Amino acid sequence: PSVNYDSATDSTYLFWDEILEGPFTNEGINAQKFDATGNRQWGDSGVVVQPFTSSAVINVTSVFTAGGPLVVWSSEPTFGQDSIFGSKLDSTGAFVCAPFPVSNILSSKSRLDLTLATNGNALAAWSDTRNDTGDIYAQDIKPDCTLGQ
């Protein structure tokens, strides 16, 4: 799971990989908002960010931005064929940005991290084997969820 905090409203946001066990494992991303006393704000089971898919969900990480919490994760339909996706929610749990690709070049990705830059953009960084045994790649994500240069 990944957690972030909004000091202006004293709210905490939690994102996690939801797993549906069965003959075929299905994974998705869920989220929950908690108030200052720990009460759930988005219902008992939170909100669905990414519905269940047959792809493995790896490296869930999030950061609080001025427009709401942003989450990124790796999606791996088969080993070594990862993509990175992101999504942003508002304080009610509604999408500001539905799931969107951050890196759709298929390769093994690991060590995904996310931070907020001083200009308000989020910066995702990860290890990527698209060219060799592992380089570091980064992508800035603007407040409207478009990707920077």
Side-chain angles (χ1 to χ4, degrees):
S2 179
V3 65
N4 56 74
Y5 178 69
D6 176 10
S7 60
T9 63
D10 208 17
S11 300
T12 302
Y13 297 89
L14 176 69
F15 293 88
W16 68 92
D17 173 11
E18 184 80 12
I19 299 174
L20 178 63
E21 296 294 337
F24 301 100
T25 300
N26 291 296
E27 298 184 46
I29 304 287
N30 282 27
Q32 182 61 268
K33 176 184 176 183
F34 299 93
D35 66 15
T37 58
N39 295 310
R40 295 182 199 119
Q41 300 298 293
W42 294 342
D44 286 341
S45 39
V47 297
V48 174
V49 176
Q50 171 63 54
F52 287 121
T53 70
S54 59
S55 296
V57 172
I58 308 166
N59 301 312
V60 176
T61 186
S62 64
V63 66
F64 189 78
T65 72
L70 173 71
V71 61
V72 295
W73 65 93
S74 296
S75 177
E76 184 182 63
T78 59
F79 182 76
Q81 299 295 301
D82 305 15
S83 296
I84 297 175
F85 291 92
S87 184
K88 188 173 181 179
L89 303 176
D90 68 14
S91 62
T92 69
F95 284 116
V96 173
C97 305
F100 61 92
V102 174
S103 175
N104 57 9
I105 295 173
L106 298 178
S107 61
S108 182
K109 296 172 176 50
S110 62
R111 298 180 183 93
L112 177 62
D113 201 4
L114 185 67
T115 193
L116 190 62
T118 56
N119 67 358
N121 289 357
L123 179 64
W126 63 92
S127 176
D128 193 306
T129 64
R130 69 182 74 171
N131 294 319
D132 54 28
T133 59
D135 292 322
I136 302 300
Y137 282 79
Q139 178 65 62
D140 63 322
I141 305 168
K142 297 177 183 180
D144 66 357
C145 301
T146 58
L147 303 179
Q149 295 294 334

